[in-house]
């Protein structure tokens, strides 16, 4: 069975051979983030595919935030580079949920939380607890919480 990490390594080798600088540097940085994660803490460990996905998701989020910061700072070239790196990594993530799919999952969770008696601000936590495992890796946390707030308010 091929792990996600070995797929990243194979793709890095291919990118280096193809002299694809953007792809190879992005994958190299991501693999080092994975290696760092594996050695962080008291004992080193091999990351599961789910853990590797979390690292990739975090790296994509970093790229998006950096691109926004560069764009605000008037550095369009750097912003474009960050966006391109984010797109390279996004290809390794599960297909993202559409707004309609996310809305349906959140609406179901809101109904479930209300049935359990969660109301007001406490409902937010209860709903997020129900939604998170259902959307894991397929929707950005900010998108999820915005949708939850919208449906709890409505």
């Amino acid at each position: 069975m091929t792990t996600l990490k070995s797929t990243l390594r194979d793709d890095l080798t291919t990118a280096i051979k193809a002299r694809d600088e953007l792809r190879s540097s992005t994958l190299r940085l991501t693999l080092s983030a994975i290696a760092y994660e594996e050695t962080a803490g008291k004992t080193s460990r091999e990351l599961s595919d789910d853990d590797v996905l979390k690292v990739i998701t975090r790296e994509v989020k970093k790229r998006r935030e950096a691109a926004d910061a560069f764009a605000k700072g008037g550095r369009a070239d750097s912003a474009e580079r960050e966006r391109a790196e984010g797109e390279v990594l996004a290809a390794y993530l599960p297909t993202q949920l559409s707004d309609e799919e996310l809305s349906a999952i959140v609406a179901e969770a809101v109904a479930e939380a209300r049935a359990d008696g969660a109301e007001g601000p406490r409902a937010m936590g209860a709903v997020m607890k129900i939604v998170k495992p259902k959307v894991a890796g397929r929707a950005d946390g900010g998108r999820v919480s915005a949708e939850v707030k919208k449906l709890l308010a409505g």
Side-chain angles (χ1 to χ4, degrees):
M1 185 186 101
T2 311
T3 64
L4 183 53
K5 189 171 143 188
S6 61
T7 301
L8 288 168
R9 276 202 201 103
D10 294 345
D11 290 353
L12 172 60
T13 305
T14 305
I16 291 169
K17 286 179 181 168
R19 298 197 187 300
D20 184 340
E21 193 277 327
L22 171 75
R23 196 170 189 74
S24 59
S25 73
T26 303
L27 292 175
R28 201 174 274 127
L29 285 168
T30 304
L31 283 164
S32 73
I34 291 166
Y36 176 80
E37 194 73 27
E38 287 178 334
T39 57
K42 288 184 177 15
T43 56
S44 60
R45 63 197 171 95
E46 187 76 21
L47 293 185
S48 68
D49 277 358
D50 283 346
D51 292 333
V52 171
L53 272 177
K54 285 177 187 157
V55 173
I56 295 173
T57 303
R58 193 170 56 231
E59 292 294 311
V60 169
K61 185 178 180 185
K62 278 185 199 169
R63 301 302 190 292
R64 187 174 49 248
E65 289 169 354
D68 292 346
F70 281 133
K72 283 183 186 136
R75 295 183 50 197
D77 53 336
S78 298
E80 195 48 49
R81 168 76 185 205
E82 293 290 336
R83 276 192 204 96
E85 288 181 7
E87 286 170 20
V88 166
L89 294 176
Y92 294 95
L93 296 175
T95 307
Q96 296 295 294
L97 293 169
S98 69
D99 291 341
E100 295 77 29
E101 291 169 319
L102 179 60
S103 199
I105 291 170
V106 171
E108 196 177 286
V110 167
E112 197 177 315
R114 285 198 172 131
D116 290 343
E119 285 296 327
R122 279 197 6 259
M124 178 82 182
V127 172
M128 289 299 281
K129 203 177 282 179
I130 297 167
V131 172
K132 270 205 157 151
K134 293 180 181 177
V135 300
R138 298 184 306 151
D140 176 58
R143 248 181 90 201
V144 175
S145 66
E147 187 63 29
V148 170
K149 284 177 187 154
K150 187 174 93 181
L151 290 179
L152 284 175

